[in-house]
Amino acid sequence: MTTNDELNLTEATDQKWARVRDRLRAEFGDAAYKSWFQPLTLAGVKDGEITICAPTRFMREWVMSRYADRIRALWCGEEPSVRSITIAVNPGAAALSPAPGQNLAQAAPTAVVRPIREADDVSVGAPLDPRFTFDNFVVGKSNELAYAAARRVAEATTVPFNPLFLYGGVGLGKTHLMHAIAWHIREQDPSRPVIYLSAEKFMYQFVRALRYQNTMAFKESFRSVDVLMIDDVQFISGKDSTQEEFFHTFNALVDRNRQLIITGDCSPSDLDGMEERLRSRLGWGLVADIHPTDYELRLGILQSKAEQMAADRPLPRRVLEFLAHKITSNVRELEGALNRVIAHAILVGRAITLESTQELLHDLLRANNRRITIEEIQKRVAEHFNLRVADMHSARRARVVARPRQVAMYLAKHLTARSLPEIGRKFGGRDHTTVMHAIKKVDQLRQTDPAFAEEVELLKRTLDA
Ligand code: ADP
Ligand code: MG
């Protein structure tokens, strides 16, 4: 028999639940709150496990796949002993609390988020997203090298290459692959210490260690791991003392033959604001880039996500094709679009059609329609400064030509997804360092010369419109 008492549903717990819900509302907004959180009820907290009831199976899956980790993290903030979260389906959940004698966890289908382990302890690493596994990663031409390298590292018993450096634009699956490696290693051997964290978190912890004068403990916590993963390393560009510390950590781990996995938004050699010795070290092992997705991969991802999210509500193929065709920016946006389409269909209770999809996503579609090309930028900038487009490619270095060219490079960097080397090639085969210099120069001038800043802003806006 499970009573409220056994589940430890006290007034204090109720208050914690209220605070967690307030945070959820603040973080996800009113609409999401009303749709997904308000209907949930707390069944209890016991032995480090929270049990929550959702009124429908779909809602349980939805909350589980999207918000469970966050709910658990917020509970952890209220009660550090909390390790996992269970969501049960209980049709009357919104209205009543469990009747005495009814064991919710057994009466209804449940889903459990993998419990966090000690290694996730807030003091060092960051928790892993349960959705980011190899099984959930769809492989295509653009990411096959990165995927193969990640698998290799995850399955290896000896370090195959050090570091593994993954890079690519936002929302293309870098973090997903890192978490997948970590999950895999933990499943194979839970005793292997694996730490995952962002470069940002690394920096904050380092700064805190400095402030509280316990840098020894900080160093130790990293140097005793087997696998260290640092996400978005570009964050520590220009942060000299953090870089210095990272460099030492890096070397200490490589010396001990421990695996390092690092991601960034560009290749090690293009990491601006990084010390040369660190840049070169980062490129020592295997460097794998993830390219923008192609149509087939986008369609594959959509099919897989649609199946996971709403198996009982198949989406018309035309809708998936339409989305794959139209939303080309990155996988995160693609997922966001799919979420919106499915959530909308559930809420209004109507089938998904191509028309309803177009209507629902018109803002997103408009943004994705505007793919500015480098050629357009060159044309517009040349017009603006009364130059010929050929001047954008020419070797002429006179300021009247060179400055507008730099502006065009700057805009190309900000308005397209092209890499620095690609931009350089489009500007008469210039080197990526020239592009980097141009961007820096324009940034500098924007700071010091308001008229110039205005001009650049104007160009940007007309191109963006
Ligand atoms: P990044 O770290 O490169 O910015 P993420 O790893 O956070 O990108 O990916 C953004 C979102 O897209 C995540 O929800 C991730 O699961 C999803 N995603 C990216 N690539 C893939 C893929 N190949 N297959 C399945 N999901 C993907
Ligand atoms: Mg990421």
Side-chain angles (χ1 to χ4, degrees):
M1 191 175 106
T2 307
T3 64
N4 283 359
D5 208 34
E6 261 185 84
L7 281 164
N8 195 17
L9 203 56
T10 61
E11 206 171 309
T13 310
D14 269 348
Q15 279 164 7
K16 286 175 190 166
W17 176 227
R19 279 195 295 272
V20 168
R21 299 219 295 185
D22 282 347
R23 283 290 296 274
L24 291 170
R25 189 203 288 265
E27 283 179 25
F28 296 99
D30 264 349
Y33 180 82
K34 288 214 180 80
S35 315
W36 310 119
F37 304 124
Q38 204 161 4
L40 302 179
T41 50
L42 180 69
V45 185
K46 199 184 171 199
D47 299 335
E49 186 176 31
I50 332 159
T51 306
I52 286 171
C53 293
T56 65
R57 197 191 179 92
F58 173 77
M59 200 167 258
R60 189 218 31 213
E61 241 104 82
W62 188 273
V63 172
M64 206 62 195
S65 63
R66 271 164 200 77
Y67 306 114
D69 235 32
R70 190 61 198 145
I71 297 176
R72 192 200 51 208
L74 289 171
W75 260 108
C76 249
E78 295 286 337
E79 209 174 304
S81 64
V82 162
R83 282 274 172 267
S84 66
I85 170 170
T86 301
I87 303 185
V89 180
N90 175 18
L96 31 124
S97 39
Q102 182 192 7
N103 186 338
L104 282 169
Q106 273 168 20
T110 55
V112 183
V113 161
R114 302 181 208 212
I116 44 173
R117 317 190 95 97
E118 300 307 322
D120 287 331
D121 198 322
V122 274
S123 60
V124 191
L128 301 173
D129 190 317
R131 290 170 301 157
F132 292 0
T133 60
F134 282 126
D135 285 346
N136 287 343
F137 192 82
V138 183
V139 187
K141 264 212 253 2
S142 59
N143 58 24
E144 63 186 359
L145 175 64
Y147 172 81
R151 268 227 101 101
R152 183 74 204 286
V153 166
E155 284 160 8
T157 43
T158 57
V159 174
F161 22 74
N162 220 358
L164 167 61
F165 190 97
L166 302 174
Y167 76 94
V170 288
L172 295 180
K174 301 182 294 296
T175 299
H176 188 135
L177 281 177
M178 269 194 161
H179 286 207
I181 297 173
W183 281 126
H184 188 92
I185 293 176
R186 285 190 182 171
E187 248 153 38
Q188 298 298 303
D189 181 359
S191 67
R192 267 181 93 183
V194 177
I195 290 186
Y196 162 88
L197 80 167
S198 63
E200 185 177 5
K201 187 159 186 196
F202 181 87
M203 187 183 92
Y204 286 125
Q205 291 191 11
F206 174 57
V207 170
R208 204 171 47 198
L210 285 178
R211 173 140 50 93
Y212 295 109
Q213 300 181 336
N214 53 1
T215 45
M216 280 314 288
F218 172 84
K219 282 180 205 295
E220 267 322 298
S221 61
F222 287 105
R223 292 181 194 178
S224 54
V225 305
D226 229 23
V227 182
L228 176 64
M229 310 191 182
I230 302 280
D231 207 354
D232 289 320
V233 75
Q234 74 277 358
F235 184 86
I236 59 169
S237 292
K239 318 262 177 9
D240 294 345
S241 44
T242 303
Q243 266 182 48
E244 168 100 28
E245 183 58 32
F246 178 61
F247 185 71
H248 293 313
T249 305
F250 186 102
N251 288 336
L253 288 173
V254 171
D255 283 349
R256 290 174 207 179
N257 211 19
R258 306 290 162 78
Q259 180 73 56
L260 278 129
I261 305 162
I262 292 156
T263 69
D265 66 351
C266 59
S267 75
S269 56
D270 287 337
L271 276 171
D272 207 5
M274 278 293 184
E275 234 190 298
E276 179 49 39
R277 55 177 191 171
L278 180 54
R279 244 189 293 169
S280 90
R281 284 292 160 93
L282 290 174
W284 268 12
L286 183 79
V287 176
D289 56 344
I290 306 186
H291 300 277
T293 55
D294 56 24
Y295 174 78
E296 282 78 24
L297 178 59
R298 289 195 295 275
L299 191 60
I301 290 174
L302 284 169
Q303 277 164 345
S304 132
K305 306 247 170 201
E307 264 164 41
Q308 285 167 34
M309 281 166 55
D312 50 338
R313 205 178 267 266
L315 259 71
R317 198 179 162 79
R318 278 176 67 205
V319 169
L320 296 182
E321 285 171 353
F322 174 77
L323 292 176
H325 186 67
K326 288 289 186 183
I327 298 175
T328 55
S329 42
N330 65 51
V331 183
R332 192 171 295 138
E333 269 197 21
L334 201 60
E335 271 189 337
L338 187 66
N339 282 351
R340 263 166 73 180
V341 171
I342 295 181
H344 179 81
I346 307 276
L347 288 175
V348 303
R350 268 202 303 272
I352 298 161
T353 65
L354 189 55
E355 289 67 34
S356 69
T357 303
Q358 277 168 323
E359 205 180 292
L360 187 68
L361 299 178
H362 71 275
D363 52 336
L364 195 65
L365 294 171
R366 218 177 41 223
N368 271 273
N369 268 340
R370 265 192 271 113
R371 296 273 91 168
I372 304 171
T373 63
I374 294 184
E375 286 75 13
E376 279 169 75
I377 294 173
Q378 292 175 328
K379 188 162 164 280
R380 180 62 59 86
V381 173
E383 268 167 23
H384 183 87
F385 290 99
N386 262 322
L387 299 171
R388 295 167 307 136
V389 174
D391 289 324
M392 294 286 140
H393 313 279
S394 80
R396 283 182 63 200
R397 302 176 71 156
R399 163 114 20 119
V400 285
V401 185
R403 189 71 80 227
R405 197 188 289 131
Q406 289 176 329
V407 170
M409 289 182 194
Y410 170 90
L411 291 170
K413 175 68 198 158
H414 286 276
L415 300 177
T416 73
R418 302 281 150 239
S419 67
L420 297 178
E422 282 173 309
I423 295 173
R425 274 197 292 280
K426 296 262 186 179
F427 282 83
R430 286 179 158 79
D431 193 64
H432 75 269
T433 51
T434 309
V435 183
M436 221 143 77
H437 172 76
I439 295 167
K440 236 188 237 158
K441 187 77 209 167
V442 171
D443 260 331
Q444 228 169 42
L445 283 170
R446 281 175 58 239
Q447 312 272 327
T448 53
D449 181 348
F452 178 81
E454 183 127 345
E455 212 163 1
V456 173
E457 202 41 49
L458 184 77
L459 272 166
K460 200 166 160 189
R461 245 179 295 143
T462 53
L463 279 161
D464 232 354

